[in-house]
Amino acid sequence: MKRISIKLIALLIIIGIVMAGCSDDSSSSEGGEAVTLKLGHIQSENDLWHDGALKFKEEVERLSEGNMKVEIYPNSTLGGDRDMAEGMQIGTVDFALVAGVLGNFEDSIQLLELPYLFSSQEEYNKVIHGEVGEEIANRVLEASDIRILNWWDRGPRHITANKPINTLEDIKGLKMRIPEIKAMEHTWQAMGASPTTMAWNEVYTGLEQNVIEAQENPIPFIYGGRIHEVQEYLSLTAHKYEYVTLAMSDMTWSKLTAEQQEIIQEAADIATDYENQLVSEQTDEILETMKSEGLEVVEPDVQAFAEEARKSHEEFAKTIDIDLYNQIVDALK
């Protein structure tokens, strides 16, 4: 298990005081008392993530006939991605919607974070729901005691800035916020940008105060975070086809009965289909809403971006697992 940060320990103490008993009964219910579990995520209640989380809660409670409850904590209430991942490791957070931060616990998932690794949603789906996705999920579980229940679609990531991003020259030296993901940092640096990691709940203010000049995320995430209020342009770079995992503490999982585990997995699968359908149906609608509110959309030469990015992929993959990287490349042929 990785070293737990002092920040996280303090956060856990606060959570324990405020919500004592929320997760202590994460085992078979006795005397009719329901098992109550916590699910955290970093987005607002307006985001599609929250809708998917509500669907998961609904299904768990329906399938268990009320004997299992799920409490949802949006807006980084249980901490940032790293805090929640570490909380799942020690069982103080039961579920979380997390993505690239898992690369801090198991390197292989970093390969999915390489910009322009996939050129379409179909390519991404082929890998994430195939042997590679299963292998990575198993490695994450073994390394971190975090169980990936399923992969949610998020759509492609795009860049927002206060200037149009049309060419590679436009990103040279650009102070762009990225999540704490080494693969993304490596690739954007190789492309000439100046990436900086920053917690999501600090991004709006960071853009507003010009601490950073740009950020990149899927369209629903941009809208949910109100980024279009502090950025003028959206450049459709589609540099990464995106996932978020519905992840669970394996410590919590091991306390459940086989029947409860089956309920959790079934609810996760139903919520995944629901979330993915929402993303598919609403992304274009969300984009039109932001355009009507003043956001200008730019369509750069994506091929030029992709060619430059891919020059650095193999170098990074050699630091992780070149064989697994080649397995991904072969799957895309």
Side-chain angles (χ1 to χ4, degrees), residues 13-29:
I13 291 172
I14 294 171
I15 292 172
I17 293 172
V18 174
M19 297 183 292
C22 265
S23 213
D24 290 342
D25 53 354
S26 300
S27 58
S28 302
S29 56

Side-chain angles (χ1 to χ4, degrees), residues 119-224:
S119 59
S120 69
Q121 188 72 36
E122 290 71 27
E123 285 192 351
Y124 156 83
N125 286 335
K126 184 177 181 181
V127 169
I128 206 75
H129 298 296
E131 292 181 2
V132 172
E134 183 178 355
E135 170 67 17
I136 290 173
N138 288 337
R139 291 190 189 190
V140 169
L141 177 60
E142 179 67 23
S144 67
D145 294 326
I146 296 173
R147 178 178 293 270
I148 295 175
L149 296 173
N150 215 321
W151 310 82
W152 289 8
D153 292 348
R154 296 173 64 190
R157 293 177 84 101
H158 305 292
I159 298 174
T160 67
N162 284 328
K163 68 175 185 178
I165 306 297
N166 281 303
T167 67
L168 283 168
E169 190 62 32
D170 293 328
I171 69 168
K172 301 298 183 184
L174 185 69
K175 291 188 294 184
M176 181 170 64
R177 178 269 178 184
I178 62 170
E180 188 183 353
I181 299 173
K182 294 177 183 177
M184 293 180 68
E185 183 174 15
H186 172 88
T187 306
W188 285 115
Q189 285 178 340
M191 294 172 70
S194 180
T196 182
T197 60
M198 178 181 290
W200 175 245
N201 60 0
E202 300 173 2
V203 173
Y204 184 97
T205 301
L207 291 168
E208 189 175 40
Q209 297 178 351
N210 294 316
V211 175
I212 48 176
E213 300 173 305
Q215 67 84 50
E216 49 76 57
N217 261 303
I219 286 170
F221 211 77
I222 291 168
Y223 182 72

